[in-house]
Amino acid sequence: MIGKGNPTTRWPRALAGGAIAALLALSAGCAPGAGTTQTTAPASPAASVNTDPASMGEITLTVWDQEVRGGQNDEIEALNAQFHEKYPNITIDRHAQSFDDLQKTGRLVLTGPDAPDVIEANNSRSQMGSFVTAGQLLNLDPYAEAYGWRDRFPASVLKLSSYSTDGKTFGSGSLFGLPQVGEVVGFYYNKSKLAKLNLTVPTTWAELEAQLKTIKDAGETPLVLGNLEKWPAIHVFGPIQGAHTPADEITNLALGNAGGDWTDANNVAAATELQDWVKAGYLNADVNGAAYDDVVAKFAKGTGVYFLGGSWNTATLDPAMGDDVGFFAPPPTDASAGPATTGGTSLPFAVTSASKHADAAAAYINFLTSDDAMKVIAEKGNLPVLHASELAPSSGVGKEVYAAYELVTTKGHLLPYLDYATPTFSDTLGAALQDLIAAKKTPQEFAETLQKDYGDFIKG
């Protein structure tokens, strides 16, 4: 999902639905997914949509994506090549960059004369929501009808790329993008190190907490994290919050819906636990100064016992660690309950309003998210957003990731990314977490900072 950018690459050439319906079913605080469909002015009736790319003439589609990590880049390269082979009249001019770079440059390019035809747009209010409000993304409802996306994708997936046409309501309304990949945040662990310490995968949150102390006392780093970019700590705080705060409350907060309160005792307790972990030395000392991908690489080479991160890291860790890497969902506070952790979908591919080749752009997105594409996504070590149970690997850490994803989404709670909440929440939360980790803010001050951003947005 997120990583250091590769140089811009160009492509002058032309691949898994039942499980995901449960897999991405968000808790009751989510906006309802079956609302009245809204349509913006540029949207045309499905009858006028051309779904035959071969008939569109010679076209170059400019595509901006952030699929730069090993397995992610591999699947996009494979799919781009297959698309051009099938439709040689359409050339993909691919611009690949890191998540962080895309967040910065994407906003700028959409306001200029060189906007791409297709862009991966973060679901959040700060990105997709803002782009919808500014009229910079095309309403995809006509294409959803023409290609049958609402039949192929469960509502629980589509709602994460849906906004009202004024950008004010998140989780219902019109469709503005389609994702390729499912995501879940969990614990990667070094199997040999855990076994050497006579420890097994924890089944409760209390057992996990006890293990962190045991690992620290044995001279190992219990949990590694690189938070230089500020967003990575969100994926550590989210599961901790899931162990303290009811899922429906977290969902209200994450989607920017009314009814939540960052300063309640549960959220303050979650912030306190994260800060206590840092004070106890359970994390590497250079958390805020270390880059995310650098720490992932160090974990792959044997630094630390646990790494709490998103399932997209599997494509990097699996080939590097082989049978020595495992994965499990954050354990629940009660062993009889299901786990609650952060997750959802990868960044959706969207068509820009500036595109002169909207039909071709939509056809490309349809190709990237087809059933055949899901097979390629799985083959390259990623977690497809559709047909996950059918395409699960038979062994290795990928099998464990798929199992954890299904466990969370069928028996637990898959919680939305917290930075979705408001147009400014990604920056607010990222900075506040760095301050919390550095002990520059108390847990109460941390919660009050988040509540002001969220509260001001709700009032507005």
Side-chain angles (χ1 to χ4, degrees), residues 63 74 81 98 105 120 156 173 190 206 312 333 360 362 365-366 395 420 436:
V63 178
D74 291 346
S98 73
T105 60
E120 272 193 286
S156 54
N190 187 306
W312 55 88
T333 53
I365 292 174
N366 184 64
S395 62
Y420 286 176
L436 182 71

Side-chain angles (χ1 to χ4, degrees), residues 9 54 84 94 126 141 155 172 179 187 237 243 267 272 304 351 389 402 413 423 432 450:
T9 55
H84 185 66
R94 183 188 179 206
S126 65
D141 285 345
S172 64
F187 285 90
F237 178 75
N267 293 319
T272 300
V351 180
S389 61
Y402 278 63
H413 300 281
L450 303 186

